[in-house]
């Protein structure tokens, strides 16, 4: 977080230095951060960039933009079984930024640093000729050789997912089309719930230690449940059978399903869920579920892993349905 | 480097996966990279973002943009004494990118990966509504506790700088004002040399092991020699006396100095040098110089460190000059 013009030093001192509590950040006064990885641990690194009006709306509260930028990265760390350790932040600020806005943004970072137990290590701030852009590299630690991969699913594994699926996609659709809710008999409370689920991902960090212990493969769901089942199946060189009837949904998404299967499928495969998809052996499944319940992480069995070559079969009432038979199924 | 839309998978497979030779990258097929830091080593992390028409010109060759994005980060690692280990790359691509352009960009990355011995570990690619933006987090390794800091300078240390100073600032000025060279009797070869020095930083990676062995403090010069002396003095809580007559300059900058001291000072404190400023005890200075020569790194003694509070005194013919006496001195 080294300045390339005087204004940046003020930014660092006033806004960013209070976020850099890890001694490795060197107080953001040096060219680089220095990190001692815990003995016996590997470092897990992930990078997600978020840009205004692509990944969030410019007018979203700055606290929420900051939280989302951290949490999409924390979700990746959680899926690998990693404990958050720190992050590097690149920030391209549009010329119309205000101290109030940046104060809110940094308050959002500070809250999540506290909630998830990690700190800013360093970074860079530049001007943006476009809108705001936040580029986070998040770092986590896992015991050596234990990072949970997409590629470890085994035939016979059971397929689990956390939380509920489709909320964020519906929440995004409500941002684009405020009439979407009325047309589908959603209550004001439903709409608020869905909008909030889009605005603020809840990374499943509490599941990370259980994934380390029990999972053969895991990933977070960002592209859409069905698409991400495909990515996992393909990386693991297995087939996946996904039971659509078992996919856990909120009250609001259930209403949408009752109204239109097409809309339901668009939500379910809409992405931005930041829930975790994981494959666990049948022998481990009961212990895994029990411990997930104990840490307050809702978990649902939604399918199984078969021998194969990366094909996903979606079933409904026990019968396979082909994606091209899903009627108007396409993303919003 | 996980895709959030189908086109990104093609980008990863076609352009980025060939750059990810480190097994820790997991072939860019997972949510994250996994890195085992060498035993007995700390990780050094640095992040510099480069944006079109701020840090480079959009019409620069893509190979050069890629090289600059890596090298400004490699320069930070070198100043800390770190050996490059890998990097995470965030890329915001404008809508008018072409496969030819991206091929050139990746060829530039590949060449520098080979030259500097490190690989792409992961990242993210998004659309840009503005111009191209490259966000690199570079990772290096140093023996535990040995990272060279800005804050270690000791009274009595000698102040050294690598290479020549001011070339990149003059090269940038030539880009803005093509008549700048003629007015200052620069030859076509001088101009070409200066433009190239702006376009392509040469990070002093060969000096890194010597900094580890001999330096009390070091940083790379990106903000300008005098400004960065100030940063180092301030971080170390010492004063620095900088002898302007000793500052090493190229033939081209010497011509500019002969023509106008103001222009000379603007170049010398113009920044973008990516040379290394370092403080070495008098006892170590001779060995340090000898070894720097042996690895082909030009090194010049330009000043000394005194007890103090962060003040930089610039001297000329042995006499201190105050910055406000430097006439028209200001950045271009």
């Amino acid at each position: 977080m080294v300045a390339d013009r005087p204004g940046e030093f003020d930014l660092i001192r006033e806004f960013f230095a209070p976020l850099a509590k890890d001694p490795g950040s060197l107080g953001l006064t040096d060219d680089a951060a220095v990190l001692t990885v815990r003995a016996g641990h590997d470092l897990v690194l992930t990078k997600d960039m978020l840009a205004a009006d692509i990944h969030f709306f410019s007018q979203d509260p700055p606290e929420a933009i900051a939280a989302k930028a951290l949490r999409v990265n924390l979700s990746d760390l959680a899926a690998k079984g990693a404990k958050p350790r720190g992050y590097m932040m690149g920030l391209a600020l549009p010329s119309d930024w205000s101290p109030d806005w940046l104060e809110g943004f940094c308050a959002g970072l500070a809250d999540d640093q506290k909630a998830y137990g990690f700190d800013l290590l360093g970074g860079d701030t530049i001007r943006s000729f476009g809108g705001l852009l936040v580029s986070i590299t998040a770092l986590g630690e896992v015991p050596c050789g234990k990072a949970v991969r997409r590629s470890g699913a085994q035939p016979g594994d059971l397929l689990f997912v956390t939380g509920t699926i489709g909320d964020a996609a519906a929440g995004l659709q409500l941002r684009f089309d405020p009439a979407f809710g009325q047309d589908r008999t959603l209550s004001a409370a439903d709409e608020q719930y869905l909008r909030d689920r889009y605005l603020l991902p809840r990374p499943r960090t509490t599941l990370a230690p259980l994934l380390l212990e029990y999972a053969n493969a895991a990933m977070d769901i960002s592209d859409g449940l069905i698409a991400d089942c495909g990515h996992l199946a393909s990386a693991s060189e297995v087939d996946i059978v996904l039971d659509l009837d078992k996919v856990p949904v909120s009250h609001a998404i259930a209403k949408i399903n009752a109204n239109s299967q097409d809309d339901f499928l668009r939500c379910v495969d809409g992405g931005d869920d930041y829930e975790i998809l994981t494959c666990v052996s049948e022998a481990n499944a009961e212990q895994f579920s029990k411990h997930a319940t104990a840490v307050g992480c809702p978990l649902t069995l939604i399918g199984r892993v078969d021998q194969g070559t990366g094909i996903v079969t979606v079933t409904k009432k026990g019968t396979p349905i082909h994606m091209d038979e899903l009627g108007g199924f396409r993303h919003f």
Side-chain angles (χ1 to χ4, degrees), chain A:
Chain A
M1 189 73 67
V2 170
D4 63 356
R5 54 193 59 80
E8 200 187 347
F9 288 102
D10 300 332
L11 276 185
I12 293 172
R13 196 172 42 240
E14 189 173 344
F15 294 100
F16 302 124
L19 298 168
K21 292 168 191 164
D22 189 303
S25 71
L26 309 181
L28 307 182
T29 60
D30 213 300
D31 306 272
V34 182
L35 195 73
T36 309
V37 177
R38 227 175 347 150
H41 285 70
D42 288 335
L43 200 69
V44 175
L45 299 115
T46 184
K47 179 188 264 299
D48 270 323
M49 291 174 98
L50 269 62
D53 302 318
I54 300 176
H55 304 95
F56 58 85
F57 293 82
S58 302
Q59 69 270 33
D60 285 344
E63 294 83 354
I65 297 171
K68 185 165 196 174
L70 289 183
R71 292 180 186 192
V72 299
N73 283 286
L74 287 165
S75 180
D76 282 325
L77 292 185
K80 305 296 100 185
K83 186 176 157 56
R85 176 63 198 272
Y87 68 99
M88 303 287 285
M89 180 174 68
L91 199 59
L93 275 178
S95 53
D96 63 351
W97 73 273
S98 71
D100 274 0
W101 186 94
L102 196 55
E103 209 168 282
F105 184 83
C106 290
L109 295 176
D111 284 350
D112 270 15
Q113 289 188 185
K114 204 169 163 191
Y116 296 101
F118 74 148
D119 287 317
L120 177 66
L121 288 171
D124 194 19
T125 305
I126 65 170
R127 274 177 299 151
S128 167
F129 286 146
L132 178 74
L133 187 146
V134 192
S135 174
I136 301 279
T137 299
L139 313 168
E141 290 172 332
V142 288
C144 278
K146 297 290 184 195
V148 182
R149 303 192 180 177
R150 291 186 178 188
S151 56
Q154 299 295 323
D157 281 355
L158 301 181
L159 184 73
F160 290 92
V161 74
T162 61
T164 57
I165 298 298
D167 297 326
L172 176 59
Q173 188 56 22
L174 280 165
R175 297 288 294 266
F176 286 127
D177 173 16
F180 179 80
Q182 291 173 310
D183 297 351
R184 285 151 190 86
T185 69
L186 297 183
S187 69
D190 291 334
E191 290 199 14
Q192 191 46 49
Y193 167 81
L194 295 173
R195 284 169 181 268
D196 178 71
R197 285 277 284 163
Y198 170 73
L199 194 65
L200 283 176
R202 267 75 172 178
R204 295 291 181 183
T205 48
T206 56
L207 199 68
L210 303 182
L211 294 172
L212 278 184
E213 196 170 350
Y214 297 113
N216 286 337
M219 65 183 293
D220 74 332
I221 303 172
S222 53
D223 290 354
L225 176 63
I226 302 169
D228 283 329
C229 280
H231 301 149
L232 197 149
S234 166
S236 294
E237 296 178 13
V238 294
D239 285 352
I240 282 180
V241 181
L242 171 67
D243 186 344
L244 201 58
D245 301 312
K246 290 192 182 153
V247 172
V249 295
S250 63
H251 183 63
I253 297 292
K255 277 191 190 172
I256 290 173
N257 191 20
N259 202 282
S260 154
Q261 180 180 267
D262 286 354
D263 285 346
F264 173 72
L265 285 166
R266 283 181 197 127
C267 291
V268 161
D269 201 41
D272 277 338
D273 296 296
Y274 302 107
E275 297 291 351
I276 287 176
L277 183 71
T278 181
C279 300
V280 175
S281 72
E282 215 165 337
N284 279 333
E286 198 182 322
Q287 281 297 305
F288 177 59
S289 299
K290 208 175 98 183
H291 283 110
T293 306
V295 297
C297 180
L299 194 70
T300 308
L301 176 66
I302 57 166
R304 66 171 197 275
V305 177
D306 287 341
Q307 282 196 315
T309 57
I311 293 167
V312 177
T313 306
V314 180
T315 65
K316 204 166 144 55
K317 297 190 202 307
T319 307
I321 48 177
H322 293 287
M323 295 310 282
D324 55 6
E325 288 174 19
L326 293 175
F329 174 63
R330 62 189 189 287
H331 289 111
F332 288 108

